Amino acid sequence: METVNGEGANGSSCLSPPTSAPSPEVIQLDVESDHEANTPNRSVISRPGFGSNGRHISLLANHFKVFVNNPDAIFYQYNVSITSEDNIVIENKVLGRKILDKLYQTYSSELSGKKFAYDGEKSLYTVGPLSKNKYEFTIVLEDSYANRCGSPADDGILSESGKRVKRSLQEKSFKVEISYAKEIPLKPVSLAVQGFEPEKLQDAIRVLDIILRQQAAQRGCLLVRQSFFHDDSRNFSDVGGGVTVCSGFYSSFRSTHGGLSLNMDVSSTMILTPGPVIDFLKSNQNARDARSIDWLKAKKTLKNMRIKTTHSNWTFRITGMSEKPCNQQLFPLRVKKDNGTYDDQTINITVLDYFTKHRKIEVTYSAYLPCIDVGKPNKPTYLPLEVLCSLVSLQRYTKALSTLQRASVVEKSRQKPQEKMQAITNAMKNYHYDDDPLLSSCGISIEKQLAQVEGRVLEPPKLKVGNGEEFSPSNGRWSFKNKKLYSPTKIEFWAVVNFSTKFDASYLSRELIDCGMNKGIIINRPFSLMEEDPHNRKYGPVVRVEKMFDHILAKFTRAPQFLLCILPEKKNCDLYGPWKKLCLSDHGIPTQCMCPLKVTDQYLTNLLLKINSKLGGINSLLSIEQSSRIPLIHDTPTMIMGMDVSHGSPGRPDLPSIAAIVGSQSWPLISRYKACVRTQSSKVEMIQGLFEPQEDGTDNGMMSELLLEFYRTSNKRKPTQIIVFRDGVSESQFNQVLNYELDQMIKAYQLLGEADAPKFTVIVAQKRHHTKFFRANGPENVPSGTVVDNNVVHPRNYDFYMCTQPGLIGTSRPAHYHVLLDEIGFSPDALQNLILTLSYVSQRGSAATSIVAPVSYAHLAARQMGQFIKFEDLNETASEKDSFTSVGSIPVPKLPKLDEDVEDSMFFC
């Protein structure tokens, strides 16, 4: 990118819209489309060097060094087409693997005994070529596996046609066509072993990963991308609601600065709890017994789940449930003649009578319950619940978890560093990757010991609090005990709103006032303690909140400065979203929700930190921030941004995604931020609302909103440097961040009357990765401030890992920072120190955040404003023109706008 300098250090020109309106630009949903010809094509920068600051520490990483002894080997890729006998293309991965396994068993001689790796879709790979470029095979499966998605035959199962479905092996034939596609040399992998990243390296690594997946599939594992899970009850932990967390392992080859390595980590996924269907339903609905089950809900829940029957070993997929209970559900049964044949005469018989009298199977409690239907839509096949043995194991659960389930998953997946390290090294030894015929034919061998890396522990920044006190945090933590807040607010006119029957609001307010006095916050007695009318608890959450607000408006002659809301449930309370929307969007009143398990001084202190931030106060500042001595920032107007996109719940593709960006205010401070949040098309990762030019020459985009607020709060100085932290994007999307999102930000800046673009530094922050670090000489987590920029980092790109959060429980997960662009020109040490300090500016608590505060704030803003609207009720509001916007032809519901009294506040704290 061509660097265009700003106006100079004073930067005093006004930010204002241009006098002439440019033609509006439509942002297409496809962000990968070509840009204008004059738009620069930016690429990710290379590593400029390595950091050197800090105390050196010896670490181990969950990477295993890979050696390639046959670098001249070549993978041959072949296209695979599988069709059934009725010419339907087979896309089921499990069925595809079964067919290809049978193909090798049957025709291995025609393939010259050459092993292959199949990706479960449309490609297979061999080491060296097959004898021909094209093959066509007919494969016959004799176990009726292919029918399991419908209703496979089984003795003792009834269909409404009146026929007894006989158990028999159904043969199905499939046509498999294999044709040569291309060659993928292993040479790039051998170069990667030496620390290079040549072209086509990722193609070769992808083949190696497919080999790992195939090996796991052949062991009967559940595959979830590069993770695999064994059917072993020792790996299962129930988290409630019929859901179980299953632990397994992640494994993938990676190109690193130290060469090629195998990254292996402990992984987990959600599955349906295997066992009797009736037990699953009781757990799923929290029902006392079978009579308490909501069967309409059960019918929807059970659909497409796989089950096994007690009296046979056949697997079925549930298609529905009977309308009537087992003792009333009739079907026509054909009458059997004396010679053992059947005629056309039928008698009506209940499912219960058939199983008890004809099949001699005892049916007790399920006689009065609906039957399971495993048939086709126009040909039901019924089974009593007691005939079902269990839900098949390793069925993925992909719906959103409740707050309690998520907490249980975290608790039960937690491992201390030594436990995790031992589990990984044991798995590495037990899976015998070196013995895989494809890997061994490539001459690939893998070390069994964790990779050794050199880390550096950076000094934490000093913090300033009230009365001029300065102190240094210890291992990422500090305490406000006996300390005053740096800039405390005064709370004069406020109230307590109590939706809970568990807490004494009067006692809570007295304790809060006392704690605030110790921290320097002057809090007057609340104007009112408002208890919910018990009669209102019968209503839904929206009505309950509205009735409470009617009570508030009737009692107050003017808007309160602040409302403290006591909720009846922690975190997953349905009142939270409606309450936040009414306070922040409809009435412009700052609010803090709470639901304490126990009221302690620490709890109240953390509560006051959030309240003080929301009301415009500052809890602590970096010492270098207070004295305006932040390198490369203190003398040049600099805005720091955090950007994140949150997507809808799993299983709800109709929900829009929510994009949030935050920008620093009041330069040279870097501890105050304004948030801007918008909805956008579902599952779109690139932020679409950064630049939205209008016909009148104005810009309604998110970027201009932050730029104008920076200008207003920074003595009319425009930012000539912008540091962007982007969360949630993968390596394959880095170019889109540089060439779409950055381009939109520059256009927004220029539309405000600035011809020159500011200098940008763009950094992607990732938490969803699988690299972990362990102390080489101790059982504890790595210390806060640990940075690693060698051995396991990218061989060419500018990236590093940093652990900032104190790892008190479980194993620390470092943040992975990728520097895509650095026009400002930070040295590696200066940038790493800046990122460390930005982990200490969060106003929400007294510990360093695991990722830089701007990214954390963007995530919080997106999550909180996502609660404002009930997406389930969109159809009811679809007629309201102003509630929807459009991206292309896709309608997207708009978030309610924040009231002007709170829109510039840190409401998300």
Side-chain angles (χ1 to χ4, degrees), residues 59 321 350 423 433 517 626 691 713 761 781 813:
L59 303 173
M321 300 194 75
T350 66
Y433 287 131
M517 187 178 299
Q626 190 261 349
F691 177 56
T713 60
T761 291
N781 269 307
R813 174 180 290 184

Side-chain angles (χ1 to χ4, degrees), residues 481-499:
K481 189 174 183 179
N482 301 322
K483 291 182 176 67
K484 305 289 186 183
L485 303 186
Y486 180 84
S487 174
T489 56
K490 184 176 181 180
I491 305 176
E492 298 175 324
F493 188 54
W494 67 294
V496 180
V497 175
N498 191 6
F499 285 100

Side-chain angles (χ1 to χ4, degrees), residues 110-182:
E110 293 195 26
L111 301 175
S112 304
K114 189 175 288 292
K115 295 279 188 178
F116 57 76
Y118 174 54
D119 67 355
E121 296 178 349
K122 297 180 178 180
S123 299
L124 64 78
Y125 304 86
T126 61
V127 179
L130 297 173
S131 56
K132 296 191 295 186
N133 283 344
K134 192 167 185 177
Y135 293 87
E136 187 173 309
F137 300 105
T138 298
I139 305 300
V140 178
L141 293 186
E142 300 175 342
D143 62 355
S144 77
Y145 175 86
N147 266 346
R148 292 182 186 177
C149 291
S151 58
D154 186 24
D155 191 20
I157 298 173
L158 305 176
S159 71
E160 278 200 345
S161 65
K163 296 180 181 179
R164 297 183 217 182
V165 183
K166 293 287 186 180
R167 173 174 173 172
S168 62
L169 292 177
Q170 296 189 13
E171 292 187 352
K172 273 207 168 185
S173 62
F174 301 88
K175 184 171 75 172
V176 181
E177 295 179 336
I178 299 174
S179 58
Y180 169 79
K182 63 178 181 180

Side-chain angles (χ1 to χ4, degrees), residues 316-332:
F316 300 88
R317 194 178 295 276
I318 298 174
T319 56
M321 300 194 75
S322 63
E323 297 292 331
K324 297 178 181 179
C326 182
N327 63 347
Q328 297 178 23
Q329 182 65 53
L330 295 170
F331 71 94

Side-chain angles (χ1 to χ4, degrees), residues 16-24 691 693-699 750-753:
S16 58
T19 54
S20 61
S23 59
F691 177 56
Q694 306 298 301
E695 292 182 358
D696 62 358
T698 60
D699 177 14
Q750 292 173 332
L751 191 60
L752 290 172

Side-chain angles (χ1 to χ4, degrees), residues 598-618:
K598 187 178 180 182
V599 178
T600 64
D601 182 73
Q602 183 62 54
Y603 180 86
L604 293 172
T605 297
N606 289 340
L607 198 68
L608 283 168
L609 296 179
K610 297 174 183 178
I611 293 171
N612 191 52
S613 300
K614 290 176 179 180
L615 296 180
I618 297 176

Side-chain angles (χ1 to χ4, degrees), residues 530-579:
M530 313 189 74
E531 303 284 343
E532 183 182 28
D533 185 337
H535 294 98
N536 292 341
R537 295 190 183 113
K538 64 184 178 184
Y539 298 113
V542 174
V543 174
R544 288 175 68 182
V545 168
E546 288 175 344
K547 286 184 175 292
M548 179 62 82
F549 247 95
D550 289 342
H551 187 31
I552 293 171
L553 296 175
K555 191 146 191 168
F556 286 78
T557 57
R558 58 189 173 95
Q561 179 186 2
F562 167 72
L563 289 174
L564 180 66
C565 178
I566 306 173
L567 296 174
E569 297 168 306
K570 187 176 176 65
K571 290 189 177 180
N572 60 335
C573 182
D574 289 337
L575 298 169
Y576 180 85
W579 174 259

